[in-house]
Amino acid sequence: LELYSNLSLEGNDFCTLKVSTSDESVSHIKTFYFHDDDPGKLSEWLTSFHQDRYNIVRDERDAYMQLQEQFTGEIDSASQMIQISAKEKQNMQIDLENAQNQALDSLNTMKRVLVRFGIAENEMQQMDSAARAGDALTKYIDSMQQKFDKLL
């Protein structure tokens, strides 16, 4: 009945209910006429059609509003997740920078210790990481331990 949006009581005595489409260019859809001797019954039918239509439209509107609320909630949730992820990323980048600075400080500290132990400049050039500097320190400490053990 969605296509039949024109509902009217017609005739001199309003005893005919006309049900037709609002688009007169659709010729293949028929117009229906219902006749009853009691215009009150046809008026009840007309009221019933309008009430049913109203209820259907209201239910559709309510369903769309519920979907809109649901989508709005999902969008808000996704937006919060994006903001949280962006903040976590920013914190991780700060942590990474701090860790890199600490590693560089450790490397420079190890190099200063190795210079105090008398490591040659050309060997110092090869120490581009904390691991290599740590290995050099370990090697030097082991050699010092061996020298000390020989003295005893």
Side-chain angles (χ1 to χ4, degrees):
L1 287 175
E2 286 182 22
L3 295 175
Y4 295 97
S5 57
N6 284 343
L7 304 170
S8 61
L9 291 176
E10 296 187 350
N12 293 336
D13 54 359
F14 298 105
C15 288
T16 303
L17 174 63
K18 178 181 175 185
V19 180
S20 63
T21 66
S22 59
D23 188 1
E24 297 296 330
S25 66
V26 183
S27 61
H28 67 278
I29 297 180
K30 296 180 180 181
T31 299
F32 294 96
Y33 296 91
F34 299 95
H35 182 79
D36 195 316
D37 292 333
D38 182 7
K41 266 201 200 262
L42 291 177
S43 181
E44 287 176 17
W45 280 24
L46 185 62
T47 301
S48 179
F49 277 128
H50 285 299
Q51 187 65 37
D52 286 348
R53 237 193 223 135
Y54 170 79
N55 289 336
I56 289 170
V57 170
R58 186 191 62 210
D59 291 346
E60 286 179 358
R61 182 207 61 199
D62 292 347
Y64 284 129
M65 288 176 67
Q66 185 179 13
L67 278 174
Q68 183 180 8
E69 289 174 8
Q70 180 183 352
F71 289 148
T72 300
E74 288 176 9
I75 288 171
D76 289 344
S77 177
S79 177
Q80 289 174 356
M81 293 293 285
I82 289 170
Q83 289 174 354
I84 290 169
S85 295
K87 186 66 176 167
E88 287 176 354
K89 178 183 176 185
Q90 184 180 14
N91 290 340
M92 291 174 101
Q93 287 174 331
I94 290 170
D95 291 345
L96 176 63
E97 289 174 14
N98 289 339
Q100 288 172 335
N101 289 336
Q102 288 175 353
L104 185 60
D105 288 346
S106 296
L107 177 61
N108 290 333
T109 300
M110 284 189 253
K111 283 183 176 181
R112 284 193 301 274
V113 169
L114 289 169
V115 166
R116 300 267 286 162
F117 285 152
I119 300 296
E121 188 68 31
N122 63 347
E123 287 182 54
M124 195 63 69
Q125 297 291 333
Q126 296 174 359
M127 292 182 210
D128 57 352
S129 70
R132 286 188 179 178
D135 289 343
L137 271 174
T138 302
K139 183 178 172 183
Y140 184 77
I141 290 171
D142 286 346
S143 72
M144 292 295 286
Q145 180 70 38
Q146 289 175 357
K147 288 179 185 176
F148 182 71
D149 288 344
K150 285 183 183 179
L151 288 175
L152 292 178

